[in-house]
């Protein structure tokens, strides 16, 4: 309560009590040190609404409860599942930037593979059991991954800068291909010709 409702917590006299202590058979027993102002009543209602969701109150130390599952226990696997919800992926999938760009179909297919991080860079070859000492083909400084080769590498960066300097745009490169597509689209909202702007990432990646 101190964390979520600090304003109301300050008004309650039983600040050392747990929420369970405040429950009586007649209902919640909060004692405030003064009459509540009109604008504080909705906040108190909010507190009651939150705590009324808990059934079977038990006496014990207050603890954090994760809202991601019914047991209230945080698990990495559950977060992964939540973040990978198919609808969420669909919502965040840059299909428009891939299939609506005015580029040859084979280039769209290549960008789609890039976005799936499935083109045959050295890291993906290694995942298929090919033994390699992975080094970026351009800079040789780090392992060759899709995201490094196509967006993070210093050599690739020069290609992006060719376009960015011409338009005097300051742009920080995102970490993944899909994010780069979204971010490029956003950066181009003021561009005179949106369809020309949209083909730039595909042009760079196809050149590489
Ligand atoms: Zn590199």
């Amino acid at each position: 309560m101190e964390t979520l409702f600090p304003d109301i917590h300050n008004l309650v006299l039983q600040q050392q009590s747990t929420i369970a202590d405040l429950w009586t058979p007649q209902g919640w027993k909060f004692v405030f040190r003064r009459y509540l102002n009109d604008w504080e009543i909705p906040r108190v209602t909010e507190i009651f609404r939150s705590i009324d969701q808990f059934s079977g109150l038990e006496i014990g130390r207050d603890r954090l409860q994760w809202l991601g599952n019914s047991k209230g226990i945080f698990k990495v696997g559950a977060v992964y599942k939540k973040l990978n919800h198919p609808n969420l992926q669909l919502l965040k999938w840059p299909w428009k930037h891939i299939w609506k760009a005015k580029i040859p179909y084979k280039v769209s297919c290549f960008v789609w593979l890039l976005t799936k991080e499935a083109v045959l860079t050295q890291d993906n070859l290694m995942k298929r059991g090919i033994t390699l000492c992975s080094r970026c083909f351009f800079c040789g400084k780090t392992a060759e991954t899709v995201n490094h080769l196509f967006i993070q590498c210093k050599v690739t960066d020069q290609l992006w800068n060719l376009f960015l300097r011409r338009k005097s745009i300051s742009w920080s490169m995102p970490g993944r291909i899909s994010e780069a597509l979204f971010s490029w689209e956003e950066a181009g909202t003021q561009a005179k010709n949106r369809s020309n702007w949209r083909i730039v990432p595909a042009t760079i990646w196809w050149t590489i």
Side-chain angles (χ1 to χ4, degrees):
M1 182 167 164
E2 190 177 0
T3 314
L4 292 176
F5 302 95
D7 47 341
I8 304 301
H9 181 258
N10 279 335
L11 296 176
V12 175
L13 283 178
Q14 315 104 303
Q15 291 191 353
Q16 303 306 320
S17 306
T18 64
I19 292 289
D21 290 338
L22 301 176
W23 175 253
T24 68
Q26 287 76 41
W28 297 106
K29 196 178 175 189
F30 286 83
V31 182
F32 299 102
R33 58 184 166 78
R34 62 163 167 77
Y35 287 113
L36 294 173
N37 291 309
D38 287 352
W39 60 85
E40 287 158 346
I41 291 170
R43 290 282 288 161
V44 174
T45 313
E46 210 181 321
I47 293 175
F48 286 139
R49 207 176 290 140
S50 311
I51 56 182
D52 275 348
Q53 292 170 11
F54 298 105
S55 54
L57 284 173
E58 45 189 73
I59 295 175
R61 284 177 66 84
D62 285 353
R63 61 185 172 85
L64 290 173
Q65 177 147 352
W66 192 53
L67 298 175
N69 61 28
S70 54
K71 288 183 182 165
I73 300 165
F74 176 83
K75 282 186 177 170
V76 175
V79 177
Y80 180 81
K81 222 171 168 181
K82 209 172 166 63
L83 291 176
N84 275 285
H85 192 278
N87 289 338
L88 194 70
Q89 264 192 352
L90 210 62
L91 224 59
K92 294 213 161 187
W93 183 255
W95 67 271
K96 197 160 72 171
H97 318 322
I98 300 171
W99 303 111
K100 289 272 178 181
K102 290 182 179 164
I103 47 179
Y105 189 65
K106 61 179 178 184
V107 182
S108 293
C109 291
F110 179 64
V111 175
W112 178 76
L113 279 173
L114 275 177
T115 314
K116 300 278 271 180
E117 296 176 22
V119 292
L120 293 180
T121 42
Q122 290 175 6
D123 64 325
N124 281 335
L125 289 172
M126 285 164 77
K127 279 181 205 160
R128 291 173 183 214
I130 297 173
T131 311
L132 286 167
C133 175
S134 179
R135 274 281 164 269
C136 170
F137 181 76
F138 288 144
C139 68
K141 288 194 174 158
T142 183
E144 187 186 276
T145 63
V146 175
N147 290 319
H148 172 80
L149 188 66
F150 291 90
I151 53 179
Q152 291 156 355
C153 182
K154 285 213 157 73
V155 179
T156 311
D157 206 39
Q158 292 172 24
L159 284 171
W160 288 99
N161 282 333
L162 282 178
F163 291 94
L164 293 169
R165 277 203 209 107
R166 278 187 60 147
K167 299 281 178 189
S168 309
I169 290 172
S170 67
W171 194 55
S172 61
M173 183 62 75
R176 307 184 83 110
I177 297 278
S178 55
E179 291 163 359
L181 284 171
F182 279 119
S183 175
W184 188 260
E185 188 78 7
E186 255 170 50
T189 37
Q190 303 301 324
K192 279 185 194 157
N193 192 328
R194 288 292 295 275
S195 54
N196 280 356
W197 180 263
R198 192 174 277 168
I199 65 173
V200 171
T203 311
I204 291 172
W205 293 330
W206 187 253
T207 310
I208 293 167

